[in-house]
Amino acid sequence: MMACVRTQVGIVGAGPAGLLLAHLLHREGVDAVVLEARSREYVEMRVRAGVLEQTSVELLREAGVADRLDREGLVHEGISLRFDATDHRIAFTELTGRSITVYGQQEVVKDLIAERIAAGAPIEFEVADVAVHDLTGDAPRITYTDATGRGQELTCDVIAGCDGFHGVTRDAIPAGALTVYEHVYPFAWLGILAEAPPSHEELIYAYHERGFALHSMRSPRITRLYLQVAPDESIERWPDERIWEELHRRLAADGFSLTEGPVLEKVITGMRSFVVEPMRHGRLFLAGDAAHIVPPTGAKGMNLALADVRRLAGAVTDFLRHGRVDGLDAYSDACLRRVWRAEHFSWWMTSMLHRAEGDDAFQRRLQLSQLRYTATSPAAATSLAENYVGLPFDAT
Ligand code: APR
Ligand code: PHB
């Protein structure tokens, strides 16, 4: 027997997008049910992005979920572009008056799940067979199998597809209703989490003839490091010693020494840019990675997800409380303006910093010229800085 339940907003996916949306709606008195395929432990442990724009920090603060972020987040006032074995600092705060905060995506996820559970609001983990139906009517439905194996049906006013790039909601939209824009890069990132204090106070984006490397962190005890590798690279070919050796080479600079430590995690991720337009089909609204992907070089993925649901929460609340559809009708175009700015910025950072197979000396000289210009011209540095710290929500 299938159990039938009604809610105002059915949210598929408990990543940053789904969870912040549920929280913002709850504060407005709008009911939602969050459905997540994985277990709570899994989503809380999954290591993903780690940089919050100042705009995102302010959003989480206004939403009342930034206590631990304010205590434990690491505020950074700049980053280093490292090339020619020298650091060139981009001074965010001096240039824009704003900063970024290093705080793991899974910490944001933990805070939002704790908040939802404390509020006694519905969230179900380990659901399966999620499917969405009747998207163009006024009572769209979600069917799924719950954690006990029971078939369930959820009738909603609105469905939010927050189920990431590999989710099911985007694929439920008929072919022809969406346009896909995509670019796949000819390289991937090998990321490690190391139990070692960061070797530098700030993030280092290193351009090197052997390929890009990034020094980041999660806490005063944990370093996050990345290496550009081939797109089809296999992790077995990268024992820890080889990773450290390569990091030492690519991050080498006068007066810098890289602190090693036990490798806690090791993963290879492909790099892609992807956008679907529009981010809506009838009563289904896509948000976050379900609608768009950026390569990680600009640190924009989690920030875009949060910006989407900020707008969606307002639009859905206006609709359900006051019957107004203008916010819902404007949702896709308004989000896409910010999305495309981030797409361009992430593509630009990626193109400036990576070495692609087959790149010739002409391209390398162009990259170095762009790096030098960005490092020395206050106008160019400010352009990088204002994109990195996050443009105001309605600026784009
Ligand atoms: N049913 C239910 N849940 C699903 C399904 C499904 N069929 N498919 C995927 N999910 C869940 C995933 O397990 C995940 O927890 O949806 C969630 C999507 O979360 P994210 O992938 O974190 O996406 P989003 O919330 O949009 O956040 C974007 O994630 O990939 C990073 O860099 C990206 O930082 C960005 C952020
Ligand atoms: C990270 O810390 O994981 C990180 C930081 C900056 C990026 C990408 C990832 O551009």
Side-chain angles (χ1 to χ4, degrees):
M1 255 288 285
M2 186 169 287
C4 301
V5 175
R6 211 192 176 293
T7 189
Q8 291 178 293
V9 186
I11 301 178
V12 185
L19 289 166
L20 182 64
L21 176 63
H23 176 71
L24 294 173
L25 292 173
H26 183 77
R27 280 165 63 93
E28 296 292 342
V30 174
D31 291 335
V33 174
V34 181
L35 301 174
E36 166 59 48
R38 304 286 192 162
S39 68
R40 179 176 179 183
E41 295 68 35
Y42 183 91
V43 296
E44 291 190 345
M45 294 305 288
R46 188 169 44 187
V47 180
R48 308 283 277 279
V51 174
L52 288 169
E53 298 174 349
Q54 182 152 333
T55 34
S56 299
V57 172
E58 286 161 2
L59 172 58
L60 294 169
R61 231 177 247 151
E62 279 159 29
V65 282
D67 289 355
R68 198 162 67 92
L69 163 63
D70 280 330
R71 280 199 311 277
E72 296 176 17
L74 308 172
V75 176
H76 285 203
E77 301 197 334
I79 55 165
S80 273
L81 294 179
R82 182 170 286 182
F83 56 94
D84 295 338
T86 310
D87 276 335
H88 307 265
R89 185 165 186 263
I90 307 295
F92 292 162
T93 308
E94 246 168 69
L95 294 164
T96 67
R98 299 164 76 73
S99 59
I100 53 159
T101 300
V102 174
Y103 191 67
Q105 175 168 320
Q106 78 274 27
E107 305 305 325
V108 174
V109 163
K110 275 184 210 160
D111 295 344
L112 287 165
I113 290 176
E115 192 72 24
R116 187 146 188 93
I117 287 173
I123 177 163
E124 293 188 41
F125 293 96
E126 296 177 77
V127 306
D129 313 319
V130 171
V132 293
H133 316 271
D134 305 337
L135 301 178
T136 50
D138 56 12
R141 291 176 301 120
I142 307 178
T143 51
Y144 63 100
T145 306
D146 71 14
T148 68
R150 202 154 170 240
Q152 300 280 357
E153 183 177 86
L154 189 62
T155 305
C156 317
D157 294 310
V158 167
I159 297 177
C162 302
D163 47 348
F165 185 62
H166 301 288
V168 294
T169 57
R170 186 182 64 243
D171 290 344
I173 301 174
L178 288 185
T179 307
V180 175
Y181 301 89
E182 189 168 21
H183 180 75
V184 178
Y185 298 82
F187 33 78
W189 276 16
L190 188 170
I192 63 163
L193 203 61
E195 196 175 336
S199 305
H200 190 75
E201 312 80 71
E202 294 182 336
L203 273 61
I204 304 165
Y205 286 80
Y207 176 83
H208 192 275
E209 62 181 34
R210 298 178 63 86
F212 172 72
L214 172 61
H215 165 275
S216 179
M217 63 200 71
R218 283 293 177 277
S219 75
R221 293 183 307 106
I222 304 285
T223 309
R224 180 86 168 138
L225 295 149
Y226 296 94
L227 283 172
Q228 173 189 345
V229 295
D232 53 355
E233 191 58 280
S234 110
I235 200 82
E236 284 74 45
R237 290 184 5 101
W238 287 87
D240 297 357
E241 312 77 67
R242 182 176 176 204
I243 296 175
W244 286 114
E245 194 184 318
E246 196 61 27
L247 283 166
H248 281 291
R249 278 191 182 146
R250 296 191 197 177
L251 286 166
D254 296 341
F256 175 80
S257 84
L258 179 65
T259 308
E260 296 188 16
V263 174
L264 306 174
E265 224 228 38
K266 178 154 63 164
V267 71
I268 293 182
T269 355
M271 306 265 282
R272 109 179 32 234
S273 302
F274 175 95
V275 182
V276 291
E277 294 189 6
M279 290 168 58
R280 167 192 194 170
H281 184 68
R283 291 282 183 98
L284 170 67
F285 294 83
L286 302 176
D289 276 19
H292 42 73
I293 294 286
V294 284
T297 327
K300 287 285 153 237
M302 169 166 48
N303 296 292
L304 280 182
L306 299 177
D308 285 351
V309 298
R310 167 189 170 272
R311 197 171 278 283
L312 186 55
V316 167
T317 304
D318 275 356
F319 173 59
L320 294 174
R321 284 247 211 94
H322 312 293
R324 286 178 48 180
V325 295
D326 49 332
L328 289 182
D329 288 346
Y331 170 74
S332 176
D333 285 352
C335 286
L336 285 166
R337 279 195 291 277
R338 189 175 188 82
V339 167
W340 278 109
R341 177 86 300 279
E343 290 288 344
H344 180 272
F345 177 65
S346 309
W347 165 84
W348 175 76
M349 286 282 281
T350 304
S351 314
M352 178 169 70
L353 287 159
H354 290 72
R355 295 288 307 274
E357 186 91 14
D359 270 3
D360 57 16
F362 176 77
Q363 276 154 319
R364 290 203 291 281
R365 274 171 176 66
L366 289 182
Q367 288 177 314
L368 274 167
S369 170
Q370 184 63 37
L371 282 162
R372 289 197 190 103
Y373 176 54
T374 306
T376 52
S377 152
T382 305
S383 172
L384 188 160
E386 71 172 355
N387 278 280
Y388 203 108
V389 301
L391 291 156
F393 283 122
D394 291 308
T396 43

